[in-house]
């Protein structure tokens, strides 16, 4: 069985949260979360994903880290020398993806606790909700390709 959750540390705007929530709904996330709370409300979740996917809110990274599901890898999406490029990244069956705010990235505490760091291609950083959407899409298409290899279609 596999599942994943995705969230933002120190989310700057509600629009980013709402857009990530909407994408998480579209790409099959089990939950989303925020660590720290700098935003005030959100308006971009036009699909009302909140009815389908729970949002967990944590005061700080320590509280969040205490509550990561059992046997789940913490994957940071970050521009760092140790990060694996997404085209070479193998998504764990059970994962929690954490993104940093656009104006600061992931905290040092988050980077230190991540089992893996993942980097997206490009010269510039993406909007945090867009970066999360790219990561979820990559997970989805790689999962589907893996399923095709294991279970070829019947002709």
């Amino acid at each position: 069985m596999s599942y994943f959750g995705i969230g933002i540390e120190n989310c700057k705007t509600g629009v980013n949260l709402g857009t990530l929530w909407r994408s998480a709904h579209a790409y099959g996330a089990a939950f989303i979360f925020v660590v720290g709370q700098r935003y005030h409300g959100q308006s971009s979740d036009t699909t009302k994903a909140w009815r389908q996917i729970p949002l967990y809110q944590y005061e700080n990274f320590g509280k969040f880290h205490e509550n990561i599901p059992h046997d789940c890898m913490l994957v940071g999406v970050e521009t760092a020398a140790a990060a694996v490029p997404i085209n070479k990244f193998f998504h764990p069956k059970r994962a929690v993806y954490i993104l940093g705010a656009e104006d600061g990235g992931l905290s040092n505490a988050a980077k230190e606790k991540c089992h893996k760091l993942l980097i997206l291609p490009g010269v510039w950083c993406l909007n945090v909700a867009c970066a999360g959407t790219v990561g979820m899409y990559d997970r989805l298409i790689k999962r589907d390709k893996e399923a095709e290899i294991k279970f070829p279609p019947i002709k």
Side-chain angles (χ1 to χ4, degrees):
M1 175 114 181
S2 67
Y3 65 87
F4 73 95
I6 190 164
I8 306 170
E9 182 183 32
N10 296 317
C11 185
K12 189 171 155 183
T13 69
V15 172
N16 284 336
L17 175 61
T19 302
L20 185 67
W21 211 338
R22 183 177 178 179
S23 294
H25 182 217
Y27 290 118
F31 61 92
I32 69 166
F33 62 90
V34 290
V35 177
Q37 211 167 347
R38 296 188 331 175
Y39 67 91
H40 300 285
Q42 62 80 34
S43 61
S44 54
D45 175 21
T46 58
T47 65
K48 297 185 179 24
W50 53 268
R51 292 180 177 171
Q52 305 298 319
I53 302 172
L55 168 70
Y56 298 103
Q57 299 181 57
Y58 301 96
E59 185 179 325
N60 57 51
F61 182 79
K63 299 270 187 205
F64 160 74
H65 193 260
E66 290 172 2
N67 289 287
I68 293 174
H70 175 71
D71 196 35
C72 240
M73 286 187 88
L74 181 59
V75 178
V77 181
E78 182 71 19
T79 53
V84 178
I86 196 167
N87 63 323
K88 297 179 181 184
F89 189 76
F90 176 76
H91 294 272
K93 286 190 182 271
R94 290 165 303 284
V96 175
Y97 298 90
I98 186 167
L99 304 126
E102 294 149 320
D103 61 349
L106 289 173
S107 68
N108 288 333
K111 287 187 273 191
E112 289 171 10
K113 292 290 187 179
C114 285
H115 298 101
K116 297 279 183 183
L117 292 174
L118 165 66
I119 189 169
L120 303 177
V123 177
W124 301 102
C125 296
L126 293 174
N127 164 281
V128 68
C130 292
T133 300
V134 169
M136 289 185 284
Y137 178 75
D138 188 71
R139 180 183 175 91
L140 179 71
I141 62 168
K142 286 178 180 173
R143 183 198 66 198
D144 289 347
K145 284 187 183 245
E146 185 179 290
E148 287 173 14
I149 292 167
K150 289 182 180 176
F151 306 104
I154 298 172
K155 295 180 184 179

